[in-house]
Amino acid sequence: MTFWASVFVLAALWPDALSVTRYSIAEEMERGSVVANLAADLGLELGGLAQREVKLDIFTNKKYLDFNKKTGELYIVEKIDREYLCPAKPASCFLKLDFIIETPLRIFNIELGITDINDNAPHFRRDRVELDVSESATPGERFSLPNAVDPDVGINTIKTYRLSPSEHFTIEIQTGSDGTQYVDLVLTKSLDREEKSVHKLILTAVDGGVPVRSGTANIIVRVQDTNDNPPQFDKRTYTINMTENTPVGTLVAKLNATDPDDGLNSEIVYSFTLYTSEKTQDVFALNPNTGEIIVKGTIDYEDTKFYEMHIEAKDKGAHPLLGQCKIVVHVTDMNDNFPEITVQSVKNTVPENIPVGTVIALVGISDRDTGDNGKVNISIHEAMPFILNKSSDRPTHYSLIVSEPLDREKVPEYDITLIARDTGIPPLFDNETITVHLLDVNDNAPQFPQSFYTIRVMENNAPGSLLSSLTAFDPDLHENQYLVYFITEKEIANTSMSMLFSINPENGNLYALKTFDYEIEKEFLFHIEARDSGSPPLSSNVTVHIIIVDQNDNAPVIVSPWRAHGSVVEEKIPRSTDKGSLVAKVIALDTDSVHNSRIMYQFLQVTDASLFSLDQYNGEIRTMRMFSYKDSRHHRLIIVAKDNGEPALSATVTIKLLTVETDVKAYSDMTEMPLEYDIFSDINLYLVIGLGSVSFLLLITILVTIVLKCQKPKPSKAAPPSRNSVISERNSTIADSTLVSNDAYWYSLFLAETRKGKLVVRQPVPKGSRYIVSSIPRGTGLSETSDSAASTLQLLDVNDNVPQFTQSFYTIRVMENNAPGSLLSSLTAIDPDLHENQYLVYFITEKEIANTSMSMLFSINPENGNLYTLKTFDYEIEKEFLFHIEARDSGSPPLSSNVTVHIIIVDQNDNAPVIVSPWRAHGSVVEEKIPRSTDKGSLVAKVIALDTDSVHNSRIMYQFLQVTDASLFSLDQYNGEIRTMRMFSYKDSRHHRLIVVAKDNGEPALSATVTIKLLTVETDVKAYSDMTEMPLEYDIFSDINLYLVIGLGSVSFLLLITILVTIVLKCQKPKPSKAAPPSRNSVLSERNSTIADSTLVSNDAYWYSLFLAETRKGKLVVRQPVPKGSRYIVSSIPRGTGLSETSDSAASTLQVGVQTILILISFFVSWHPNNFNEHMTTCKEKKDGGVW
């Protein structure tokens, strides 16, 4: 908006005088508003101004105006505030500026008059005015008020003042010589402070502008008090009834005279007048400040029936005023003798563990009154652990005894108030207080403020650093509350803490004694015990969980590419590799925590930076262009893998790349392409499987042959030896003073002295066993008609057998994530003793446990040996435990034995696979670029997943969850490699989305997915359009294939020969052997012995020195080396039968010597068919010659 108030133009020639052009505008005009057209007013041509330099010089510190050379207009660039520009408020306000035009130089003086608008409201310098006015002020008094200020001028300044309505005040406005208006506050009506103490007024200043603006100020008038009101009582006469013997200090009445005045004028002083007798003043006291009348003497009904008091109330004003009243007190006669309590034999100090029923004091009661007024009842004022026990012979005497257990920590002392009450009307009371102090005893264990402490410790901490202060509280006193802190070794889980942590025994400060490593030890769990110094001492413990916080102190480790020699990796790539092809992939792992182990890859050194690119997140090295003839054949790449820690740590790997030429027909017009094939192609895989299968069959056949050759021939019947008897319950017979037994164990216990007819004990006999010994005449065999004399030996038990476990070593498998308290196994021992000597107690022997305390992990039932878990195990944290279980009997002295228990934590599939490659920088989507000219079978990407479960559960299988074109990509389910199944065609999309799932081998299986977005890009390869696709072939009979075929044939031939030889050997019939029956008291041919129901019976002492019959297992064990060439015939007879001529026995012949399996040796020496007949002939000759 352009506002023109007036325009004055004065023109003159430049040589004669300088013209002055004046304009007038209103203040606060908007930016861009046009003031005037200078070109038109100054007679300037716009065309000429465009070629000349124009300058506007304003004599202020702000640039308010500017000149438009195109239109010739002077316009506003910043709002103009008249009050800011002319703060002195002159009648006229001008803005001077020079309009300068060069070439030729011309200067025009311009004055811009600024007119005022009403843009400022009046305001008071003080918006709150407080006045103190006496209520005795007369109407017409004046009080000055502050005036308002308005920065505007003229009609826009202050015009008048207004006052809010008031019946006591008005205002008068006066004008000074300079035109300034002054305001006085005038009192129009007398004030009364008691009616209204504060008057709140509003003074408003109004200007004369349009629109009208105003400002206000608050006027607070406080009315000051004068003493114009006397004190007044609410009654002239007060009547009060009181009983005689009212206690001294009893409140009779409280006078409350009122004075509506303020300050000292309202403060009242009470006093007796001259009309009050001195006797009354001796009995009653008057408080001059509060007006309370209390009893200070004895009130006796028989002395005075009533009392009369005259009271005056006087204020503290300069001229005091007063008021009066009268009080009449009537005395009532009543029971005026109080019961009396006497206390004797008081125990003021007792221990807090004082027994219930202990006497604390003897109490007696009395009352000088008679009748009902003299009957007294006594009781304890409050409920306390004390009672009064009335004496049976003295009714007025009581015993104060303890009724409940006392606790000093709850109540350190008791004030026992005894109240005696008579039965008068009204009843009178008496009380006596007995104070009982409790002495402390050590009955409170120390208490920690928390039951579980979790302390985080940064790894690589300084030894001796303070970890935390574990302070317990003991409510006892003195030495009973002095605490000593220490680590309880027996309750520490998984490790002993004495070498790791230390605690200050006085204040509970916990210190670290070593530097911790997060990668080795992540946490500790142990107990801190606080023990007081009482007698006996009490203690409590608290569980402390130390968590080691990771620092970045482990550098990344390069795991791929694998480096066989040092840190240099050699790779070969074809020179025909397309742009964007994968050259190598670097994978590094960091054992630090998740944040610190994030790996970033970058080139530290590269031979040609324009040829290779490195993905900083997944470590993939790709070609940025195709190789040219100018590029070197050798390239050296040094890659650094840097973690995300602070400071960052790194590892490097050096990759030497060698570009090789490929020999592919008709490829001369295009770039070289690599010719590669997988060493484990289909035919190779089938050959390896076939070779392995045939080899396995050959091994099985050889083992079967060996087993068949080692089998014993079917035994022939042999005549049983004589002089044997079998009697149940470990029986043996002395035949003609010669011991004959079917139990070899019997011989180790007893010896028969044949000539003396005595049975001698050779060694200690097991308790509870019974042995029946029979004797038969010499020269007779044992038969049904033989006479014998039997004696029974009964043995008393002593504790001479230690408990025996059924196994010397227990292996218990526990599934991880088990429920706490579940039963693992029952470890039961057997003690052959009797009674208390066989009662067993089971427990875990802490001292013999290696590196671990098991008390927090396992629990054993001491009666039946049931072993339980106390926590849930995690296979990934703890895989096994090894400790001892001890079984101790109850004999005297007790005997014990222990057994080793091996707890193996069995893994569950509770950890899902984690995708480690390709690395995902943002979410779970990986973007890859591949050239459209990629050949069939080219590697597109490789997915690597890791699983922290056991070997079986962590086996990863890869498969496509979603693929854009199933005919284009293949995924190896074992190694996660994604390859092309064919070349790209023009019909294929440029974008492909592959979702790969990595699934472990657990039950149920867990999985993780990764999404790969593939973008195919065009490559600039010459002469690709002039050739046709040619299949890449390789010789099926390469070197490795030839070796596989030869090996398969050889092993197959060996298998065939072995089968034929086995058939021939099995078809040969062994020559029957003649067995002559043995005779009595003679050695069976070639040293024979018989096992009767797996019990050895022999008449040859030399036999025992060579062999031992394991009777219950039916085995024959060689005790010492056997002479070569010797033959021993062993026979077995059923248990419970005698050895007779008709008894069936199974005889085995032991052939001791160096048996040479010539057939097998011949097979291994040579597998040629021409040698077969020669080997067979040699074997037959050896067999016929009796060498076998």
Side-chain angles (χ1 to χ4, degrees):
M1 173 181 178
T2 304
F3 176 78
W4 295 76
S6 61
V7 180
F8 301 93
V9 180
L10 299 177
L13 295 176
W14 170 256
D16 298 332
L18 187 63
S19 62
V20 177
T21 305
R22 292 186 175 86
Y23 299 97
S24 178
I25 63 172
E27 65 172 334
E28 301 292 341
M29 290 183 63
E30 296 294 332
R31 295 178 182 177
S33 300
V34 178
V35 176
N37 193 322
L38 284 181
D41 295 341
L42 300 178
L44 302 175
E45 296 182 0
L46 295 177
L49 290 176
Q51 305 298 327
R52 300 169 66 181
E53 184 176 354
V54 178
K55 180 179 180 183
L56 194 64
D57 191 4
I58 304 174
F59 301 141
T60 62
N61 57 354
K62 291 185 178 181
K63 185 177 180 181
Y64 292 103
L65 305 169
D66 202 356
F67 178 73
N68 191 336
K69 293 173 63 176
K70 294 182 180 181
T71 62
E73 294 175 339
L74 181 67
Y75 63 93
I76 296 173
V77 297
E78 185 176 347
K79 285 185 177 182
I80 301 173
D81 187 0
R82 186 182 188 279
E83 288 74 29
Y84 173 79
L85 193 61
C86 302
K89 300 177 62 174
S92 299
C93 180
F94 291 96
L95 178 62
K96 296 183 180 181
L97 57 147
D98 289 341
F99 183 68
I100 304 172
I101 303 174
E102 297 183 357
T103 317
L105 179 62
R106 294 188 64 184
I107 300 175
F108 299 94
N109 291 336
I110 300 174
E111 290 185 358
L112 186 62
I114 310 300
T115 60
D116 183 52
I117 64 174
N118 190 23
D119 58 342
N120 293 282
H123 68 278
F124 291 88
R125 292 184 178 89
R126 295 167 55 193
D127 58 356
R128 179 182 175 90
V129 180
E130 296 182 358
L131 298 176
D132 291 332
V133 180
S134 175
E135 68 174 329
S136 61
T138 59
E141 281 197 38
R142 308 169 70 89
F143 306 94
S144 297
L145 298 177
N147 60 323
V149 199
D150 193 333
D152 292 327
V153 297
I155 193 173
N156 294 326
T157 189
I158 297 174
K159 180 179 180 181
T160 185
Y161 293 88
R162 300 193 189 102
L163 184 67
S164 60
S166 175
E167 62 176 334
H168 295 279
F169 297 96
T170 186
I171 58 171
E172 289 186 2
I173 302 173
Q174 298 180 3
T175 304
S177 58
D178 58 351
T180 303
Q181 293 181 345
Y182 300 96
V183 184
D184 289 336
L185 182 66
V186 181
L187 181 64
T188 60
K189 183 180 179 182
S190 298
L191 301 174
D192 187 355
R193 192 204 63 81
E194 288 73 30
E195 180 182 348
K196 188 174 184 181
S197 60
V198 178
H199 297 267
K200 296 181 179 180
L201 307 174
I202 298 177
L203 180 62
T204 305
V206 182
D207 63 14
V210 178
V212 176
R213 296 180 181 272
S214 62
T216 61
N218 293 322
I219 309 299
I220 307 299
V221 179
R222 290 192 293 265
V223 182
Q224 302 297 314
D225 182 58
T226 59
N227 191 21
D228 55 350
N229 293 284
Q232 292 184 353
F233 291 96
D234 53 356
K235 293 181 181 180
R236 294 291 297 173
T237 301
Y238 297 90
T239 301
I240 299 173
N241 295 321
M242 293 193 66
T243 61
E244 64 173 334
N245 298 322
T246 299
V248 175
T250 303
L251 179 65
V252 178
K254 183 176 181 180
L255 302 176
N256 186 18
T258 57
D259 191 330
D261 290 328
D262 191 20
L264 293 175
N265 298 329
S266 64
E267 294 183 7
I268 299 174
V269 177
Y270 301 91
S271 62
F272 289 115
T273 65
L274 298 176
Y275 298 108
T276 304
S277 64
E278 293 182 358
K279 182 179 180 181
T280 302
Q281 295 184 29
D282 291 338
V283 177
F284 300 98
L286 174 63
N287 190 317
N289 297 321
T290 61
E292 292 181 348
I293 301 174
I294 61 175
V295 177
K296 73 174 183 178
T298 301
I299 301 177
D300 191 356
Y301 175 81
E302 290 73 21
D303 185 19
T304 304
K305 303 295 186 292
F306 68 93
Y307 297 90
E308 189 174 280
M309 292 173 281
H310 297 269
I311 310 297
E312 67 176 9
K314 184 185 298 183
D315 61 27
K316 296 182 181 180
H319 302 283
L321 303 177
L322 57 86
Q324 293 182 347
C325 72
K326 182 175 68 174
I327 298 176
V328 179
V329 178
H330 296 276
V331 180
T332 303
D333 187 26
M334 63 180 302
N335 182 24
D336 59 350
N337 289 293
F338 291 90
E340 294 181 358
I341 301 175
T342 59
V343 180
Q344 298 175 347
S345 303
V346 180
K347 296 180 181 178
N348 296 108
T349 303
V350 296
E352 62 175 322
N353 61 347
I354 184 173
V356 175
T358 304
V359 177
I360 300 298
L362 298 177
V363 180
I365 56 175
S366 62
D367 194 326
R368 292 179 298 173
D369 294 328
T370 59
D372 291 339
N373 294 332
K375 295 179 181 180
V376 182
N377 296 321
I378 187 170
S379 62
I380 300 175
H381 177 60
E382 296 177 351
M384 290 186 178
F386 302 95
I387 59 174
L388 288 169
N389 192 7
K390 189 175 182 180
S391 176
S392 59
D393 55 345
R394 301 174 66 184
T396 60
H397 287 76
Y398 295 82
S399 298
L400 180 64
I401 63 176
V402 179
S403 62
E404 298 176 9
L406 305 181
D407 189 353
R408 187 205 63 80
E409 287 69 35
K410 293 182 179 178
V411 182
E413 67 176 14
Y414 291 91
D415 291 330
I416 307 171
T417 302
L418 304 178
I419 298 178
R421 176 186 299 173
D422 62 19
T423 57
I425 299 175
L428 296 181
F429 302 90
D430 188 17
N431 61 72
E432 185 72 25
T433 300
I434 300 174
T435 301
V436 177
H437 298 276
L438 300 182
L439 296 178
D440 183 55
V441 294
N442 192 28
D443 58 346
N444 289 279
Q447 295 294 329
F448 287 90
Q450 299 175 221
S451 60
F452 192 91
Y453 285 87
T454 300
I455 303 173
R456 297 183 179 273
V457 180
M458 189 69 67
E459 70 169 332
N460 303 318
N461 58 296
S465 57
L466 176 64
L467 302 184
S468 181
S469 182
L470 311 178
T471 305
F473 171 74
D474 193 326
D476 292 325
L477 295 178
H478 310 304
E479 68 277 357
N480 295 332
Q481 71 173 176
Y482 298 151
L483 303 182
V484 178
Y485 302 88
F486 54 92
I487 299 174
T488 55
E489 291 291 340
K490 293 184 179 179
E491 298 186 7
I492 295 169
N494 298 331
T495 190
S496 176
M497 299 293 105
S498 60
M499 299 299 292
L500 303 179
F501 302 96
S502 173
I503 190 167
N504 189 316
E506 297 180 357
N507 55 22
N509 288 345
L510 184 64
Y511 301 90
L513 296 182
K514 63 166 283 188
T515 300
F516 297 110
D517 188 353
Y518 172 84
E519 288 70 36
I520 298 177
E521 45 213 357
K522 294 180 173 59
E523 61 179 355
F524 300 95
L525 194 69
F526 56 94
H527 284 182
I528 296 296
E529 181 173 329
R531 181 179 297 168
D532 60 27
S533 303
S535 179
L538 301 178
S539 63
S540 66
N541 56 42
V542 66
T543 303
V544 179
H545 187 199
I546 303 293
I547 298 176
I548 308 302
V549 181
D550 182 51
Q551 281 186 334
N552 189 31
D553 57 346
N554 290 279
V557 177
I558 305 295
V559 298
S560 177
W562 186 76
R563 294 166 287 176
H565 306 286
S567 60
V568 178
V569 180
E570 295 183 356
E571 298 283 351
K572 293 181 180 181
I573 58 174
R575 293 186 65 85
S576 60
T577 299
D578 292 332
K579 174 183 178 182
S581 297
L582 181 65
V583 175
K585 184 167 184 176
V586 179
I587 300 176
L589 297 180
D590 194 318
T591 58
D592 287 321
S593 61
V594 177
H595 176 75
N596 293 327
S597 63
R598 192 170 300 158
I599 308 298
M600 300 287 285
Y601 303 89
Q602 62 185 29
F603 279 129
L604 191 62
Q605 179 182 335
V606 58
T607 307
D608 188 348
S610 66
L611 189 56
F612 301 100
S613 66
L614 172 64
D615 192 298
Q616 63 174 340
Y617 300 111
N618 58 24
E620 292 183 352
I621 303 173
R622 295 182 180 271
T623 55
M624 297 174 64
R625 57 177 175 83
M626 294 188 66
F627 290 95
S628 66
Y629 68 93
K630 296 181 180 180
D631 292 326
S632 173
R633 295 183 68 252
H634 299 275
H635 297 273
R636 180 183 177 90
L637 310 179
I638 301 179
I639 295 93
V640 59
K642 188 180 297 184
D643 60 23
N644 197 37
E646 185 62 37
L649 302 178
S650 62
T652 60
V653 61
T654 301
I655 301 177
K656 289 184 178 180
L657 294 178
L658 174 63
T659 59
V660 296
E661 302 292 340
T662 56
D663 186 13
V664 182
K665 298 180 181 180
Y667 270 40
S668 58
D669 298 334
M670 63 172 289
T671 56
E672 299 173 352
M673 297 181 63
L675 180 60
E676 299 177 356
Y677 64 89
D678 189 358
I679 190 170
F680 289 103
S681 59
D682 292 340
I683 189 167
N684 292 344
L685 182 61
Y686 297 149
L687 287 173
V688 171
I689 294 174
L691 180 59
S693 303
V694 175
S695 301
F696 179 74
L697 290 175
L698 175 61
L699 179 61
I700 294 298
T701 304
I702 293 173
L703 294 177
V704 170
T705 303
I706 294 173
V707 171
L708 293 176
K709 289 298 296 178
C710 293
Q711 283 184 345
K712 299 176 182 178
K714 191 172 183 180
S716 60
K717 297 183 178 179
S722 60
R723 297 188 62 190
N724 293 318
S725 65
V726 180
I727 303 176
S728 60
E729 289 188 325
R730 292 191 177 272
N731 302 340
S732 296
T733 303
I734 301 176
D736 195 10
S737 299
T738 300
L739 182 63
V740 179
S741 175
N742 62 334
D743 192 348
Y745 181 64
W746 209 97
Y747 288 100
S748 64
L749 296 180
F750 303 104
L751 173 65
E753 295 186 2
T754 59
R755 299 189 184 276
K756 298 180 180 180
K758 295 181 179 181
L759 190 66
V760 181
V761 178
R762 286 180 167 180
Q763 59 178 338
V765 183
K767 308 301 181 294
S769 303
R770 298 181 62 202
Y771 300 88
I772 300 176
V773 182
S774 302
S775 63
I776 60 176
R778 178 182 298 274
T780 63
L782 185 62
S783 63
E784 294 182 358
T785 60
S786 300
D787 295 333
S788 63
S791 299
T792 301
L793 303 179
Q794 184 68 41
L795 304 178
L796 297 178
D797 182 55
V798 295
N799 190 28
D800 57 348
N801 290 280
V802 298
Q804 295 295 331
F805 286 92
T806 56
Q807 300 175 220
S808 61
F809 190 91
Y810 286 88
T811 299
I812 303 173
R813 298 182 178 272
V814 180
M815 191 68 67
E816 70 168 333
N817 303 317
N818 59 296
S822 56
L823 175 65
L824 299 184
S825 179
S826 182
L827 312 179
T828 306
I830 299 174
D831 193 325
D833 293 326
L834 297 178
H835 310 305
E836 69 275 357
N837 295 332
Q838 71 174 172
Y839 298 152
L840 303 183
V841 178
Y842 302 87
F843 54 91
I844 299 175
T845 56
E846 293 286 343
K847 293 183 179 179
E848 298 185 13
I849 297 171
N851 299 329
T852 300
S853 175
M854 298 292 106
S855 60
M856 297 298 291
L857 303 179
F858 302 97
S859 173
I860 191 167
N861 189 314
E863 297 180 357
N864 55 23
N866 289 344
L867 185 63
Y868 302 89
T869 61
L870 297 182
K871 63 166 287 188
T872 299
F873 297 110
D874 189 351
Y875 173 83
E876 287 71 36
I877 297 177
E878 44 213 357
K879 294 180 174 56
E880 61 179 355
F881 301 95
L882 194 68
F883 56 94
H884 285 182
I885 297 296
E886 181 173 331
R888 182 180 298 169
D889 60 25
S890 302
S892 179
L895 301 178
S896 64
S897 66
N898 56 41
V899 66
T900 303
V901 179
H902 186 201
I903 302 294
I904 299 177
I905 307 303
V906 181
D907 181 51
Q908 280 186 334
N909 191 33
D910 56 347
N911 292 280
V914 178
I915 305 294
V916 298
S917 177
W919 188 78
R920 294 164 286 177
H922 306 287
S924 60
V925 178
V926 179
E927 296 184 354
E928 300 283 352
K929 294 183 180 180
I930 58 173
R932 291 186 67 85
S933 59
T934 300
D935 292 332
K936 173 184 176 181
S938 297
L939 180 64
V940 176
K942 183 170 183 177
V943 180
I944 300 177
L946 297 180
D947 194 318
T948 57
D949 287 322
S950 62
V951 177
H952 177 76
N953 292 329
S954 64
R955 192 171 301 153
I956 306 297
M957 300 287 286
Y958 304 90
Q959 62 185 31
F960 279 130
L961 191 61
Q962 179 181 334
V963 58
T964 307
D965 190 347
S967 66
L968 189 55
F969 300 101
S970 67
L971 172 63
D972 192 300
Q973 62 177 343
Y974 300 109
N975 59 20
E977 291 183 351
I978 302 174
R979 296 182 179 272
T980 55
M981 297 174 64
R982 58 177 175 82
M983 294 188 67
F984 290 94
S985 66
Y986 69 92
K987 296 181 180 179
D988 292 326
S989 172
R990 294 183 70 250
H991 298 275
H992 298 274
R993 180 183 178 91
L994 310 178
I995 301 179
V996 180
V997 58
K999 186 180 298 183
D1000 60 23
N1001 199 36
E1003 184 63 35
L1006 303 178
S1007 61
T1009 60
V1010 61
T1011 301
I1012 303 176
K1013 289 185 177 180
L1014 294 178
L1015 173 62
T1016 57
V1017 296
E1018 300 292 340
T1019 56
D1020 187 11
V1021 182
K1022 298 181 180 180
Y1024 264 43
S1025 60
D1026 299 334
M1027 67 170 292
T1028 59
E1029 297 180 357
M1030 298 182 63
L1032 301 181
E1033 300 178 354
Y1034 59 90
D1035 189 4
I1036 190 171
F1037 290 104
S1038 60
D1039 292 340
I1040 188 170
N1041 295 341
L1042 181 60
Y1043 297 148
L1044 290 173
V1045 171
I1046 293 174
L1048 180 60
S1050 302
V1051 176
S1052 301
F1053 184 76
L1054 285 175
L1055 175 62
L1056 179 62
I1057 294 301
T1058 304
I1059 295 174
L1060 292 176
V1061 172
T1062 304
I1063 295 173
V1064 171
L1065 294 177
K1066 290 299 293 181
C1067 292
Q1068 289 181 351
K1069 297 182 179 179
K1071 295 180 180 181
S1073 59
K1074 297 179 180 180
S1079 62
R1080 183 177 180 272
N1081 292 331
S1082 65
V1083 179
L1084 295 178
S1085 60
E1086 295 186 314
R1087 295 188 178 274
N1088 301 341
S1089 295
T1090 302
I1091 299 177
D1093 192 13
S1094 299
T1095 301
L1096 181 63
V1097 178
S1098 176
N1099 60 342
D1100 190 351
Y1102 178 68
W1103 208 99
Y1104 286 103
S1105 66
L1106 294 181
F1107 304 103
L1108 171 66
E1110 295 187 4
T1111 58
R1112 301 190 182 276
K1113 298 183 180 179
K1115 295 181 180 179
L1116 192 64
V1117 181
V1118 178
R1119 288 181 168 178
Q1120 59 180 334
V1122 183
K1124 297 182 179 179
S1126 302
R1127 300 180 63 195
Y1128 298 88
I1129 299 176
V1130 182
S1131 301
S1132 61
I1133 61 175
R1135 180 180 296 276
T1137 63
L1139 189 61
S1140 62
E1141 295 181 358
T1142 60
S1143 299
D1144 294 335
S1145 63
S1148 300
T1149 301
L1150 302 179
Q1151 178 67 39
V1152 181
V1154 182
Q1155 291 188 349
T1156 306
I1157 306 176
L1158 297 178
I1159 297 174
L1160 297 181
I1161 294 178
S1162 65
F1163 291 160
F1164 286 106
V1165 171
S1166 174
W1167 56 268
H1168 198 274
N1170 295 333
N1171 297 333
F1172 177 74
N1173 294 330
E1174 182 181 351
H1175 292 320
M1176 292 301 297
T1177 302
T1178 303
C1179 295
K1180 189 175 189 324
E1181 291 175 355
K1182 292 182 178 182
K1183 181 175 181 63
D1184 295 339
V1187 180
W1188 292 99

